[in-house]
Amino acid sequence: MNDAAPAAAAQPAAATPLAYPPTERLPVVDTQFGMQVADPYRWLEDDVRVNPKVKQWVADENSVTDAYLSTLPGRAAFTKRMTELFSYERFGIPRKKGGNYFYSRNTGLQNQNVLYVRDGLNGTPRMLIDPNTWSADGATALAEWSPSEDGKHLLYSIQEGGTDWRVVKVLDVASGKVLPDEVRWVKFANLDWAKDGSGFFYSRFPEPKADQQFQSLNEKQAVYFHKLGTPQAQDRLVFAQPDRPKLSNVVEVSEDGKWLIVTSSEGTDERYEITLIDLARPNVQPRRFVTGLENAWSYVGNVGDTFYWVTNKGAPRLKVVATDINRPVAEARDVVPEDAATLEGASLVGGRLILSYLTDAKTEVRSFSLDGKRVGTVALPGIGSAAGFSGDADDPETFFAFSSYNYPTTIYRYDVASGRATPWAQPKVAFDPADFTVEQRFYPSKDGTRIPLFLVYRKGLDLATPRPTLLYGYGGFNASMTPGFSATNLAWIEQGGVYAVANLRGGGEYGKAWHDAGRLANKQNVFDDFIAAAEYLIDRKITSNKQLAIYGRSNGGLLIGAVVNQRPDLFAAALPAVGVMDMLRFDRWTAGRYWVDDYGYPAKEADFRTLRAYSPYHNIRSGVTYPAVLATTADTDDRVVPGHSFKYAAALQAADTGSAPKLIRIETRAGHGSGKPTEKIIEEYADMWAFIAAHTGMNVTAAPGR
């Protein structure tokens, strides 16, 4: 480390408890399965846009938190360095339609990515959409977008203040003019054009009541067709299942444009039904192709009547099968059988199947002929994650993105015919990736299960000396935690900190069995895996319980809340972000009902008892010393409603858990994370890193390691 720059001394935990705003406790007690469950802060579940009392509570909590964070000496240094690290040109994966190449670009510190188009691969870039002009605070984002088959029109959606709701619009590509078409009440949907460009298919929910649009349950999703030049009121209902209101119905158009494929699911589990609609014969009844909500079925592509799918039927780590859509799905034949590695993604490009596998949470990409013969492997730059590979069945050109913990996202063009990958957009960054080490280790969990653990640190750092360490985890919903670049994480690592990621059960790293081992009645395995990671880091002298901070978001926020309750002695600081903290009421709001596949049903006794045993809000242990805690959320998050974090923070502040601060940072005009402006991201992470630096003994310097 360069000691020439003055160090910002770490701030120890407060000697006396902070004075928190008073929070009213109400005598709310439910009796569930013979057990009394107190919920004194239920009033904090109300939407800040509806209840002024909750809005005032948010302002009071933020006032205390802001005052504390302003005293942390590392805050300015982290803000400055993150700003420098974010300041590099970034590109998204191009999509080719009608000879036009559409892609996103950010010059570095723009709050939102800007959409561009090129006429031909090497054509002159032309800006199509700049969402940075849409709002003064940068919180209105360009979300999903899709060019028509001929590249003449662009379908795009607008995300306002981080909400999951979308407003869908259409742009004329040649003129840049926004057409009058507008579609609302779209959420958790795919947008796909009819191949002739006459309009597009989408899924929407019924319009909610005005005061419930950000909290009411999402049910009765239906598929519609919007014809260009007409109002939404005239959109044609294509598919609905009113007798099964909990089903989500997501739509896509087949490669040849002849079929509409509707994928239906009830929760977050990969258990789908597939319905096929013949677009050439709109009066023919939809055909139930896969029924029963038993297995994963994902459309890859088709050549004539031969459709290719990824499924986990009889293959927990997934495989590729082919079906003749004129025959029953039971006659599906294996094309690429299940492998020891977990199949993560598949596409049909240039007459080849491009399959992405996870091998110990690292990406490997293989190509196959359509009869399943192995053709080759896509060469990647190293240990990391690759994504993309979309395209057309008869076009050998595709693109993919590669990144790792020390390797910023780089876009590659891949020629399927030659097997050659060449850089298309390579960032120039304010650091040398060679200055950082990425390694993978394995450690035993409580029951002996072998768990992968990534470690990232400055090259040459002595790991035999305990030092401030940030441990991240998720462990749920079949989501795999794979290597990826983060400017915010690098700012921590540059200061001499270690960044660790544990690949917990409940994720998708090793297929269905790995996921099943960390959900429902097995959820405690996730917490045990994370606790074992902390113990491993401490036992190996990489860190100590006075230097270890932990962090997780969403389901990972639940993880942090649970392990802090169970093993507060292991951690110096904790960052539960946008967490699911009330496990007895999570299914009552917006998307919460989907999560019963991972968590269970609070209304079922066996599930209730499992949930009650680890619910963060209900298991805070007064009289036990806790680490410093900074919970984070957004007042308008409509995915995991902020009432979860509000109630958790109020209960934590009311309990006797020692003098270390128990704070909540509440962002305004932000949601669950997507669409957040760059400026707000830097502010949030500078606050979080300064907080954990102060409680792990990190001396934050103005010019770390330089």
Side-chain angles (χ1 to χ4, degrees), residues 218-250:
N218 301 138
E219 295 184 331
K220 300 179 181 178
Q221 189 180 40
V223 176
Y224 287 82
F225 177 75
H226 175 81
K227 183 179 179 181
L228 289 188
T230 64
Q232 184 176 6
Q234 294 180 14
D235 287 358
R236 175 168 56 89
L237 177 64
V238 177
F239 183 79
Q241 302 190 70
D243 57 329
R244 303 169 74 187
K246 292 186 177 181
L247 285 187
S248 297
N249 300 293
V250 179

Side-chain angles (χ1 to χ4, degrees), residues 551-575:
Y551 173 45
R553 298 185 64 83
S554 195
N555 173 74
L558 155 64
L559 164 70
I560 301 305
V563 298
V564 165
N565 285 338
Q566 294 180 14
R567 288 297 306 274
D569 57 300
L570 283 178
F571 316 115
L575 299 170

Side-chain angles (χ1 to χ4, degrees), residues 156-390:
Y156 69 97
S157 63
I158 299 171
Q159 180 184 23
E160 181 68 39
T163 178
D164 282 330
W165 289 115
R166 303 290 193 262
V167 177
V168 180
K169 292 178 175 288
V170 180
L171 183 86
D172 179 84
V173 172
S175 67
K177 180 182 177 182
V178 178
L179 302 183
D181 302 72
E182 182 175 283
V183 166
R184 291 180 174 270
W185 307 117
V186 176
K187 181 193 284 196
F188 310 139
N190 188 45
L191 309 172
D192 209 355
W193 286 93
K195 295 297 182 181
D196 63 4
S198 61
F200 58 88
F201 298 91
Y202 68 97
S203 304
R204 60 159 290 184
F205 292 97
E207 181 177 351
K209 294 180 180 178
D211 62 346
Q212 287 294 310
Q213 61 180 291
F214 299 106
Q215 288 200 324
S216 61
L217 285 173
N218 301 138
E219 295 184 331
K220 300 179 181 178
Q221 189 180 40
V223 176
Y224 287 82
F225 177 75
H226 175 81
K227 183 179 179 181
L228 289 188
T230 64
Q232 184 176 6
Q234 294 180 14
D235 287 358
R236 175 168 56 89
L237 177 64
V238 177
F239 183 79
Q241 302 190 70
D243 57 329
R244 303 169 74 187
K246 292 186 177 181
L247 285 187
S248 297
N249 300 293
V250 179
V251 66
E252 60 185 314
V253 178
S254 66
E255 173 80 18
D256 57 12
K258 295 180 179 180
W259 294 91
L260 196 65
I261 304 157
V262 181
T263 301
S264 302
S265 61
E266 192 166 305
T268 55
D269 246 13
E270 294 181 329
R271 295 182 292 111
Y272 305 139
E273 293 184 346
I274 302 293
T275 302
L276 300 177
I277 298 174
D278 190 337
L279 293 177
R281 298 185 296 167
N283 295 324
V284 174
Q285 282 290 101
R287 182 149 63 93
R288 308 282 183 168
F289 191 61
V290 177
T291 59
L293 294 174
E294 295 177 354
N295 297 107
W297 289 89
S298 299
Y299 172 73
V300 177
N302 69 290
V303 178
D305 289 341
T306 301
F307 276 50
Y308 295 87
W309 311 84
V310 170
T311 183
N312 62 3
K313 185 176 182 180
R317 299 196 184 193
L318 296 103
K319 64 182 178 181
V320 177
V321 301
T323 62
D324 181 334
I325 56 166
N326 299 306
R327 305 292 303 167
V329 72
E331 297 180 13
R333 57 181 174 84
D334 286 3
V335 176
V336 181
E338 182 183 24
D339 191 84
T342 303
L343 180 57
E344 187 183 36
S347 57
L348 200 170
V349 180
R352 297 274 171 82
L353 293 168
I354 309 296
L355 307 185
S356 297
Y357 288 90
L358 281 185
T359 303
D360 290 330
K362 305 179 293 290
T363 299
E364 180 182 324
V365 184
R366 309 168 189 171
S367 62
F368 296 81
S369 62
L370 295 185
D371 60 3
K373 293 179 181 177
R374 177 81 172 266
V375 176
T377 300
V378 179
L380 300 177
I383 294 175
S385 304
F389 298 103
S390 64

Side-chain angles (χ1 to χ4, degrees), residues 352-641:
R352 297 274 171 82
L353 293 168
I354 309 296
L355 307 185
S356 297
Y357 288 90
L358 281 185
T359 303
D360 290 330
K362 305 179 293 290
T363 299
E364 180 182 324
V365 184
R366 309 168 189 171
S367 62
F368 296 81
S369 62
L370 295 185
D371 60 3
K373 293 179 181 177
R374 177 81 172 266
V375 176
T377 300
V378 179
L380 300 177
I383 294 175
S385 304
F389 298 103
S390 64
D392 294 332
D394 57 357
D395 186 346
E397 183 180 56
T398 186
F399 295 84
F400 69 92
F402 178 84
S403 68
S404 190
Y405 294 115
N406 63 338
Y407 196 101
T409 300
T410 300
I411 308 300
Y412 290 86
R413 178 180 181 270
Y414 181 67
D415 186 288
V416 173
S418 67
R420 186 179 176 213
T422 53
W424 184 79
Q426 197 157 17
K428 297 177 181 179
V429 292
F431 69 94
D432 184 353
D435 290 343
F436 302 90
T437 298
V438 178
E439 66 168 293
Q440 187 179 41
R441 300 187 182 187
F442 296 85
Y443 66 91
S445 189
K446 181 179 180 179
D447 62 1
T449 300
R450 184 172 178 259
I451 310 295
L453 178 72
F454 285 106
L455 297 177
V456 191
Y457 50 91
R458 281 210 326 253
K459 189 175 182 180
L461 197 70
D462 179 13
L463 289 190
T465 301
R467 59 189 65 251
T469 296
L470 176 58
L471 173 61
Y472 178 85
Y474 187 79
F477 296 97
N478 203 35
S480 302
M481 299 296 104
T482 60
F485 179 72
S486 164
T488 56
N489 290 341
L490 197 71
W492 171 265
I493 297 162
E494 282 187 334
Q495 293 287 347
V498 176
Y499 180 67
V501 179
N503 294 106
L504 314 171
R505 282 176 285 185
E509 288 85 350
Y510 296 105
K512 189 175 185 301
W514 193 256
H515 177 208
D516 289 345
R519 66 184 181 128
L520 302 174
N522 297 323
K523 188 66 176 178
Q524 183 60 41
N525 285 338
V526 181
F527 312 139
D528 291 342
D529 291 354
F530 194 78
I531 289 168
E535 292 173 331
Y536 173 86
L537 293 168
I538 293 169
D539 291 345
R540 295 301 174 99
K541 308 297 184 186
I542 294 169
T543 191
S544 71
N545 66 343
K546 303 296 184 184
Q547 298 169 295
L548 179 58
I550 55 175
Y551 173 45
R553 298 185 64 83
S554 195
N555 173 74
L558 155 64
L559 164 70
I560 301 305
V563 298
V564 165
N565 285 338
Q566 294 180 14
R567 288 297 306 274
D569 57 300
L570 283 178
F571 316 115
L575 299 170
V578 290
V580 187
M581 299 308 207
D582 184 343
M583 300 310 299
L584 304 185
R585 290 174 62 81
F586 70 87
D587 60 341
R588 295 169 183 256
W589 302 287
T590 62
R593 68 170 186 82
Y594 299 121
W595 311 335
V596 295
D597 284 343
D598 247 54
Y599 298 148
Y601 292 83
K604 295 181 179 180
E605 182 172 2
D607 291 347
F608 165 81
R609 296 192 181 280
T610 298
L611 293 163
R612 176 62 180 81
Y614 68 77
S615 177
Y617 173 55
H618 298 95
N619 286 282
I620 294 168
R621 298 158 62 193
S622 195
V624 176
T625 300
Y626 271 40
V629 176
L630 176 63
T632 53
T633 188
D635 64 359
T636 54
D637 186 346
D638 57 355
R639 179 83 57 84
V640 178
V641 294

